[in-house]
Amino acid sequence: MKKEKDCIFCRIVKGEIPPGKGKIKESDNFLAFLDLNPHAEGHTLIIPKKHFVTILDIPNTLAPELLKIIKDVASELMDKKLGDGFNVIQNNLEVAGQVVMHAHFHIIPRKDNDGLRFLVREN
Ligand code: AMP
Ligand code: ZN
């Protein structure tokens, strides 16, 4: 598993590389920015500023701040009419589809017939 110094999201937090397709907002402990390979316009990632690997590593004390930034980002996407609904998706470890080993939450705006399908059993 990649160490913090090699972590692309830690490098974004440190300002060493730009945040995907643009920063959306930040709070004391979290940063929200547009996904580099979005599934929909407005697809946003929310990450803790500290290097935690999965949701299990994020301290419970940060939960209210995390919920607030998730709700703020999702509300803004809805206000901008980028979606009529949204998914909050969070992958933990490789087998569950986690590619970047720094915990993150996907906020994905949804529209009717947008063709997106998540967690669909193939047989
Ligand atoms: P996951 O499969 O949950 O680990 O998702 C990782 C996400 O990070 C993918 O949607 C990528 O498009 C996104 N991503 C990877 N590198 C960057 C980057 N430098 N800036 C923004 N998003 C990124
Ligand atoms: Zn990291």
Side-chain angles (χ1 to χ4, degrees), residues 60-73:
N60 291 355
T61 50
L62 296 185
E65 187 185 332
L66 173 59
L67 183 60
K68 181 177 187 316
I69 194 166
I70 288 173
K71 289 166 72 173
D72 287 351
V73 166

Side-chain angles (χ1 to χ4, degrees), residues 8-9 12 17-22 33-39 43 45 89-93 96-102 104-106 108:
I8 193 144
F9 286 176
I12 289 174
I17 54 171
K21 295 197 167 180
F33 53 89
L34 292 170
D35 195 292
L36 207 52
N37 299 296
H39 289 302
H43 179 170
L45 296 178
I89 293 176
Q90 207 264 322
N91 301 322
N92 294 281
L93 302 177
Q98 185 175 6
V99 174
V100 178
M101 291 297 148
H102 179 130
H104 53 279
F105 294 76
H106 297 258
I108 305 177

Side-chain angles (χ1 to χ4, degrees), residues 1-14 16 49-53 101-102:
M1 208 166 278
K2 278 190 177 172
K3 296 215 175 67
E4 202 171 325
K5 69 177 174 55
D6 310 313
C7 172
I8 193 144
F9 286 176
C10 282
R11 295 188 66 201
I12 289 174
V13 171
K14 286 184 206 150
E16 292 173 4
K49 290 181 178 173
K50 280 194 197 148
H51 184 84
F52 301 119
V53 176
M101 291 297 148
H102 179 130

